Amino acid sequence: LRVIRENIIQLELAPGSQISENELAAQLGLSRTPVREALLELSHVKIIESYPQRRSIVTLIDYDLVDEACFMRNLMECAVVQQVCVSASDDDLLRLKENVQLQEFYLSSSRPDRIMELDNQFHALLFSIVKKNLIYTMMQNMQIHFDRVRNMALSTVKELKIVEDHRMICNAVEQRDADQARRMMERHLTRYKVDANVLKQKYPNYFKASQQ
């Protein structure tokens, strides 16, 4: 499930592409059963469409589902970051700062893959600080719709603001300013709306026709 999910996010399995259970099973060195179960779980969140006697298909990007995923994340993360402002220890702040510094390094090195990995770690750390790890884990499947757009933005949008956003969130946490931290998080999580037209111009075949 993790491998298939990451391949979808990284566009190795691009929107609209077909998936063969047999080919995936052979590539992963598994039987068809765990592959079929992973695809079934992904179909529950509408990232995979399966048809009888046919290959499964990676769904085209549906901005309604992206909005839904972001709505859930916005509710959760804005509440979490406010709690972090109260609960974060000096060690927690240090880990957040170290993460942002690494993001800045890889931003200057043009490594979008590492930035996304560190981005995920940054948000996971916020949930960990307030002991909400299970909630973060439960969000991940639905989050795949948002993550595909995030990954595309990292390699497409020229003026990348997410690292700056993380720095501002980190500063607000350090100042124990819960209202500012919430505002910064809301701005951060809605950036994909600004990026949408840019992404559709570069990847017109990746989006549902009614939304092009």
Side-chain angles (χ1 to χ4, degrees):
L1 177 62
R2 179 182 58 79
V3 170
I4 296 171
R5 187 180 184 280
E6 286 303 313
N7 284 341
I8 291 172
I9 292 170
Q10 298 296 330
L11 305 182
E12 296 292 333
L13 292 171
S17 62
Q18 292 188 338
I19 299 176
S20 164
E21 287 183 12
N22 289 335
E23 290 176 6
L24 270 180
Q27 291 169 4
L28 297 171
L30 299 171
S31 69
R32 289 179 58 189
T33 300
V35 172
R36 187 181 306 115
E37 290 175 351
L39 293 175
L40 179 61
E41 184 165 344
L42 290 169
S43 74
H44 291 158
V45 291
K46 300 182 179 180
I47 201 71
I48 293 289
E49 291 179 353
S50 297
Y51 302 93
Q53 308 304 319
R54 291 180 58 187
R55 295 184 175 190
S56 298
I57 296 175
V58 180
T59 59
L60 297 176
I61 294 171
D62 182 341
Y63 255 91
D64 287 341
L65 292 174
V66 175
D67 283 341
E68 188 173 347
C70 194
F71 176 79
M72 174 185 65
R73 186 172 178 180
N74 200 353
L75 288 175
M76 295 294 185
E77 297 219 28
C78 286
V80 161
V81 78
Q82 287 183 299
Q83 290 188 25
V84 169
C85 289
V86 177
S87 304
S89 66
D90 290 342
D91 285 344
D92 293 331
L93 285 169
L94 181 61
R95 285 187 291 164
L96 288 170
K97 289 179 179 179
E98 288 174 342
N99 178 282
V100 173
Q101 288 174 354
L102 281 172
Q103 290 182 48
E104 291 170 341
F105 171 79
Y106 284 110
L107 181 62
S108 64
S109 303
S110 299
R111 285 288 305 276
D113 56 328
R114 288 291 290 130
I115 293 173
M116 186 158 181
E117 181 181 340
L118 289 162
D119 184 353
N120 290 335
Q121 291 174 10
F122 181 87
H123 290 274
L125 180 55
L126 294 175
F127 280 80
S128 177
I129 290 170
V130 294
K131 297 180 173 57
K132 299 292 186 292
N133 304 73
L134 183 57
I135 292 176
Y136 182 81
T137 299
M138 292 173 65
M139 288 169 51
Q140 294 311 294
N141 272 356
M142 184 63 189
Q143 190 64 25
I144 193 171
H145 295 283
F146 184 40
D147 285 346
R148 279 202 295 187
V149 173
R150 286 172 58 216
N151 179 65
M152 292 163 64
L154 283 170
S155 59
T156 304
V157 179
K158 293 182 179 179
E159 295 184 7
L160 204 58
K161 300 293 186 182
I162 64 164
V163 177
E164 179 184 344
D165 289 347
H166 290 149
R167 188 188 312 113
M168 297 294 289
I169 291 167
C170 191
N171 289 342
V173 170
E174 185 174 24
Q175 295 166 13
R176 308 294 177 178
D177 189 338
D179 289 340
Q180 176 70 356
R182 183 185 184 93
R183 285 193 295 270
M184 292 299 98
M185 183 64 76
E186 287 176 343
R187 184 177 71 173
H188 176 59
L189 295 177
T190 54
R191 278 202 188 280
Y192 76 96
K193 293 182 178 179
V194 178
D195 302 334
N197 289 332
V198 177
L199 298 180
K200 289 178 181 179
Q201 287 174 8
K202 183 168 182 179
Y203 303 100
N205 296 326
Y206 285 0
F207 295 84
K208 289 186 68 173
S210 60
Q211 295 172 334
Q212 290 180 355

